[in-house]
Amino acid sequence: KNKKSFPYNYTAEERVLVLSGSATVTPTDGSDPLTIGAGDAVTFHKGFKCKWKITKRMKKHYAVFSDVAEDGDEAEDLPAITCDVCSVGCVEESYFVKEGELDICPKCYEKDKDEYSGAEHQKGGEAWVEEPAKVVKKKKQPP
């Protein structure tokens, strides 16, 4: 199942360059929808909430920019990851579903594991693989 429509909440400024494909982005504040496509460069500001509708499979480059800290230094740059089901921020831990390019929070993943089978477990936007527990066998000591 390929999800072509989903809500998104930008938790940091994001700049996007669309390489191919197209989408309609509809702001939740009632503003007019925006259609973007190949060659478009778009800046989404922190706090912007919208609904994406992919009209042609997209490829894009993007960069996420954090706020400037109070002391003038840049704050730590974290990827902006929001659950495509419930819109909660889930950069700390998420599941990435390659088909449909979905980000799923742990709560939504647990509700429907079958729907998201094969999803990549991520922490901080990076693949996370749990190391299997090692079994250590003790040698018997002679009496």
Side-chain angles (χ1 to χ4, degrees):
K1 184 177 174 182
N2 189 356
K3 191 166 187 176
K4 295 184 178 185
S5 186
F6 54 90
Y8 200 83
N9 177 17
Y10 288 87
T11 58
E13 181 176 298
E14 186 172 319
R15 298 178 192 166
V16 176
L17 173 62
V18 181
L19 302 175
S20 64
S22 61
T24 299
V25 179
T26 304
T28 58
D29 68 1
S31 300
D32 291 337
L34 172 68
T35 299
I36 59 175
D40 288 339
V42 185
T43 299
F44 297 100
H45 296 283
K46 180 180 178 178
F48 179 68
K49 294 180 181 181
C50 63
K51 183 171 184 176
W52 277 77
K53 181 175 183 181
I54 306 298
T55 52
K56 186 175 179 188
R57 186 174 176 92
M58 295 183 79
K59 287 188 182 179
K60 60 186 177 171
H61 286 298
Y62 68 95
V64 178
F65 297 87
S66 62
D67 293 332
V68 175
E70 289 180 23
D71 62 5
D73 290 339
E74 283 200 32
E76 184 180 347
D77 222 7
L78 292 174
I81 299 175
T82 322
C83 179
D84 290 325
V85 174
C86 69
S87 299
V88 70
C90 56
V91 69
E92 296 85 15
E93 182 177 12
S94 62
Y95 292 85
F96 178 71
V97 182
K98 190 171 186 176
E99 184 179 330
E101 298 183 5
L102 302 174
D103 293 302
I104 308 297
C105 73
K107 189 174 180 180
C108 290
Y109 177 80
E110 288 297 323
K111 285 182 185 176
D112 201 353
K113 285 184 180 181
D114 292 338
E115 173 74 18
Y116 309 117
S117 66
E120 177 183 78
H121 188 202
Q122 296 185 344
K123 290 192 178 182
E126 300 290 329
W128 183 263
V129 179
E130 303 263 345
E131 291 292 325
K134 292 184 179 181
V135 177
V136 179
K137 293 184 179 183
K138 292 184 179 181
K139 292 184 179 181
K140 288 188 176 182
Q141 296 291 332

